Amino acid sequence: MSERTAPTAPLRARAEIDLAALRANVRALRAHAPGAAVMTVVKSEAYGHGAVPCARAAVAAGASWLGTATPEEALALRAAGLPGRILCWLWTPGGPWREAIEAELDVSVSGMWALKEAVEAARGADRPARVQLKADTGLGRNGCPPGDDWAALVREALRAEAEGLLRVTGLWSHFACADEPGHPSIAAQLGVFREMVAYAEAQGVRPEVRHIANSPATLTLPESHFDLVRTGIATYGISPSPELGTPADFGLRPVMTLSASLALVKQVPGGHGVSYGHRYVTLGDTTLGLVPLGYADGIPRHASSAGPVLVEGKWRTVAGRVAMDQFVVDLGGDEPAAGAEALLFGPGDRGEPTAEDWAQAAGTIAYEIVTRIGTRVPRVYVNEEQDG
């Protein structure tokens, strides 16, 4: 991912990342779960914001753990000098178990094949693996099911622990519907998690942390906080459940602001087709502005004729189809200069759209809007110094 700490020249486009906002969000999330440690999830380049700078900012603000999906993401954090506890959970057979153990990462295990590979890697590394056992309490994705499978996994993990090959550092799971408070699966999953934890502990497991709460559970389900909460999208100032509240309602501030410089402004007559397929035709004489961002940069094609953009204080709408590298807005006769700012989304302070507005336009969620912003868009980091 291209990174800058300060712009040195006008940019075609930029994703400004406000690290002060991120630090404030981490502190706000800690306040929502005062009895638990906080894991900041920085998978997928910190949801498109840049993993290493965001991880450093989160740790500076008091995050006790970092979380990634893949081991490669976690190893990259270590290579960048990030200390402390890092959990990675999305493994496939033949993964870099030994490298992870030698880097002192916590590795998640959901089944017997993974436990066996972790144990063999620990033998080769001549040091114990830090293993967290993941329970499938009802999400139906990764995780070990309750019953015989869980009993066998716990038994074999304890056997390996007795041999000095691993340390069971955590027991954990993940919610399916925590962004829908009151959904019956929430209470059901909590009940299953408590039972699976109780079983493991009765057999002799002594985990450092038990955790199931993601961002929405951190904000709305205090009974789910246990020892640790895992905060992903909320860290970046996006509400995990817009129906329940805006970022401001939860004390959060969006971290990313996406903008571009208009590449061209031109006058066209009425009846002029715009972009592929001429799905937009001008109603009368007008001006068109060319925004040099497209679906190769992560602008969703599904937001064609719908995505909002702020230009010179006015909301505009994508005119016609979003192309690979560019899209057009109808400026309604206004004539900003080439190079004028087109502000796609940000915190909303200047009246600009938010990532949630783009999500609504594209029929998706704000998680996807920020995460998909591509590598052609430089990340420009502001407010890097710790507050106070």
Side-chain angles (χ1 to χ4, degrees), residues 18-27 54 57-58 61 235-236 253 255:
D18 184 351
L19 295 178
L22 189 145
R23 292 190 297 268
N25 293 341
V26 171
R27 290 192 292 268
C54 291
T235 304
Y236 309 101
R253 178 176 173 79
V255 172

Side-chain angles (χ1 to χ4, degrees), residues 256-280:
M256 180 187 292
T257 297
L258 180 65
S259 62
S261 299
L262 290 180
L264 180 69
V265 177
K266 63 184 179 183
Q267 297 179 343
V268 297
H272 197 293
V274 177
S275 197
Y276 292 125
H278 282 183
R279 296 300 178 90
Y280 183 84

Side-chain angles (χ1 to χ4, degrees), residues 2-282:
S2 178
E3 295 182 6
R4 295 171 185 258
T5 57
T8 57
L11 299 173
R12 171 187 68 94
R14 58 185 266 162
E16 184 176 286
I17 309 301
D18 184 351
L19 295 178
L22 189 145
R23 292 190 297 268
N25 293 341
V26 171
R27 290 192 292 268
L29 292 164
R30 290 175 61 198
H32 278 282
V38 170
M39 174 189 292
T40 295
V41 179
V42 292
K43 65 181 182 178
S44 190
E45 281 295 334
Y47 293 65
H49 294 68
V52 170
C54 291
R56 287 176 178 153
V59 170
S64 304
W65 289 70
L66 298 172
T68 71
T70 71
E72 291 80 8
E73 291 172 323
L75 289 167
L77 294 178
R78 278 287 190 256
L82 268 299
R85 304 300 288 274
I86 304 175
L87 172 66
C88 50
W89 51 78
L90 190 57
W91 288 86
T92 52
W97 295 100
R98 179 164 176 171
E99 294 91 330
I101 292 167
E102 291 175 341
E104 298 187 324
L105 302 177
D106 284 64
V107 300
S108 180
V109 164
S110 295
M112 203 65 75
W113 74 262
L115 183 64
K116 290 177 180 177
E117 291 200 6
V119 167
E120 286 305 308
R123 284 197 177 99
D126 196 27
R127 66 170 70 181
R130 291 177 177 172
V131 170
Q132 299 210 9
L133 304 181
K134 185 174 185 183
D136 181 2
T137 55
L139 178 59
R141 296 190 323 191
N142 215 348
C144 182
D148 292 344
D149 287 348
W150 183 246
L153 189 65
V154 167
R155 181 178 64 249
E156 291 306 311
L158 285 170
R159 180 177 299 171
E161 188 170 64
E163 294 177 19
L165 294 170
L166 63 81
R167 168 82 177 94
V168 180
T169 61
L171 300 170
W172 73 293
S173 190
H174 195 55
F175 281 117
C177 303
D179 56 345
E180 302 176 48
H183 194 284
S185 70
I186 296 171
Q189 281 195 257
L190 270 174
V192 173
F193 184 60
R194 290 191 178 103
E195 290 171 2
M196 294 177 78
V197 167
Y199 174 84
E201 292 180 339
Q203 301 307 304
V205 174
R206 297 293 178 263
E208 297 175 34
V209 288
R210 302 157 300 161
H211 51 109
I212 190 173
N214 53 4
S215 283
T218 299
L219 295 169
T220 66
L221 292 167
E223 65 271 30
S224 73
H225 292 172
F226 292 93
D227 307 304
L228 176 70
V229 296
R230 304 185 309 272
T231 57
I233 196 65
T235 304
Y236 309 101
I238 291 174
S239 173
S241 185
E243 297 80 6
L244 289 178
T246 66
D249 292 332
F250 295 118
L252 306 172
R253 178 176 173 79
V255 172
M256 180 187 292
T257 297
L258 180 65
S259 62
S261 299
L262 290 180
L264 180 69
V265 177
K266 63 184 179 183
Q267 297 179 343
V268 297
H272 197 293
V274 177
S275 197
Y276 292 125
H278 282 183
R279 296 300 178 90
Y280 183 84
V281 178
T282 59

